[in-house]
Amino acid sequence: MIFFAARDFFRNRARRADTPGMTRNDWQRAVADDRGAASVEYVVLLATVSLGVAAAVAALAIPMIERFRWMRALINLPFP
């Protein structure tokens, strides 16, 4: 979708080579265009959830490692 929008923009730009920069119509079209808003929203949501999960795993990893070491030491004791 983005490729086609960019292709159309540059095709129109080639026809209006005498106009430097973006025209007012270009800006209005760019602001009104919402063809990727849902994808961006999902990416931001996924990144936020992923960071939360990573933080939770990192916070739980240290106590889990300590408990693992304690249990391994307890199992390896020479007497019951």
Side-chain angles (χ1 to χ4, degrees):
M1 292 286 192
I2 294 172
F3 171 74
F4 294 117
R7 185 186 66 190
D8 293 340
F9 175 77
F10 288 114
R11 183 181 298 151
N12 293 338
R13 176 61 54 207
R15 279 186 248 156
R16 293 178 283 145
D18 59 335
T19 308
M22 290 183 71
T23 63
R24 183 179 187 133
N25 189 26
D26 291 337
W27 281 109
Q28 288 172 344
R29 266 193 357 206
V31 169
D33 189 13
D34 62 351
R35 284 182 294 178
S39 297
V40 172
E41 183 177 343
Y42 285 132
V43 167
V44 169
L45 183 64
L46 179 65
T48 304
V49 169
S50 298
L51 286 174
V53 168
V57 168
L60 293 175
I62 295 170
M64 294 291 279
I65 290 172
E66 292 300 322
R67 287 182 183 161
F68 171 76
R69 288 180 181 162
W70 170 251
M71 283 294 137
R72 187 172 58 180
L74 198 62
I75 290 172
N76 290 333
L77 285 176
F79 51 87

